[in-house]
Amino acid sequence: MDGTKKTQLIKPRIGMVLSKELPPELVPKLPKHWVQIGDVLILPLRQELEPYKHRIAEVYAEVIGAKAVLRKGRIRGEFRETNYEILYGEDTVTVHVENGIRYKLDVARIMFSPANVKERVRMAKVAKPGELVVDMFAGIGHLSLPMAVHGKARVIAIEKSPYTFQFLVENIELNKVQDRMTAYNIDNRDFPGEDIADRILMGYVVTTHKFIPKALSIAKDEAVIHYHNTVPERLMPQEPFRTFQRIAREHGYEAEKLNELIIKRYAPGVWHVVVDVRVFKG
Ligand SMILES: C[S@@+](CC[C@H](N)C(=O)[O-])C[C@H]1O[C@@H](n2cnc3c(N)ncnc32)[C@H](O)[C@@H]1O
């Protein structure tokens, strides 16, 4: 696969340069792994390195060949924004190539999780030519661009954040799928389509269950819904499908679990899980 490796071992040159400038006890604490998205680095930096953070970032950027370096932080809020601190450089917009897809994004504001790569690749394979996919939480097209590009599916991509939406629109053009992928800058609960989708993407976490009734109304009979959510380990493996099934039944639908995968650890004792569910209209 082209694109960026999730992590890399520290390059000897970084250690050589910084060991001349940092107190010796701090040198072993330099980050040994980092994430590279396009030509932007995300560096996990320990608190002890705070006074040297800008110089450290500069050296990593020069040795690795990045134009900007961000400090790894939290992903927050409805729009799942990153708000990472910029340690080096100014321009944090980049094009990241993965699985033949070009993703343009602002790494300082928009999440792009290396841990979700398997799911992005899987979605390229499950989509079928001509079927209609509705991506309810499109982001920059993380999951639905592979479906349009490789799967040749028709895609309706819904993204609420105006900032992220700009990149979604650009990415549709960059990947030349304007003929089969359309983007809407709205809250998915305001999307008017009913009974239209062969497949629905619910790539969101924490509160995804609140959107199940809307997904059911968009779905055709026997549609497949890729339902993501975060689940405390003690409730697995019954959850998150049990909640999906309960809400579906309350709305007059039946739900069948086809497949379940763990995407990544979300927090201590909490997992990000995806369940593929087939839904049947009552
Ligand atoms: C965490 S990102 C995930 C992107 C992609 N689905 C993935 O799984 O990699 C979720 C996106 O959903 C958007 N979003 C959140 N609530 C939404 C809503 N009610 N309607 C449409 N988009 C929403 C956020 O702005 C964010 O860009």
Side-chain angles (χ1 to χ4, degrees), residues 75 77-81 110-113 116 119-120 135-144 158-162 164-165 184-190 201-205 207 211 228 272:
I75 299 175
E78 183 188 22
F79 295 159
R80 310 293 301 144
E81 288 201 326
I110 297 169
M111 69 121 230
F112 191 94
S113 172
N116 295 1
E119 189 62 6
R120 290 189 289 270
D135 186 352
M136 292 175 68
F137 302 91
I140 56 164
H142 300 79
L143 295 171
S144 49
I158 308 169
E159 173 50 50
K160 187 173 179 183
S161 153
T164 304
F165 178 77
Y184 291 84
N185 184 206
I186 55 170
D187 188 306
N188 57 40
R189 287 164 291 201
D190 298 327
L201 281 169
M202 299 182 77
Y204 200 52
V205 288
T207 58
F211 298 85
H228 294 238
H272 173 178

Side-chain angles (χ1 to χ4, degrees), residues 86-129:
I86 301 175
L87 298 177
Y88 172 81
E90 288 170 5
D91 180 10
T92 54
V93 174
T94 190
V95 177
H96 180 69
V97 183
E98 177 190 274
N99 190 27
I101 311 287
R102 301 177 75 200
Y103 293 100
K104 185 168 179 185
L105 75 158
D106 181 351
V107 187
R109 297 261 313 262
I110 297 169
M111 69 121 230
F112 191 94
S113 172
N116 295 1
V117 60
K118 275 195 192 153
E119 189 62 6
R120 290 189 289 270
V121 170
R122 187 174 81 97
M123 289 300 104
K125 294 182 188 149
V126 300
K128 296 183 183 63

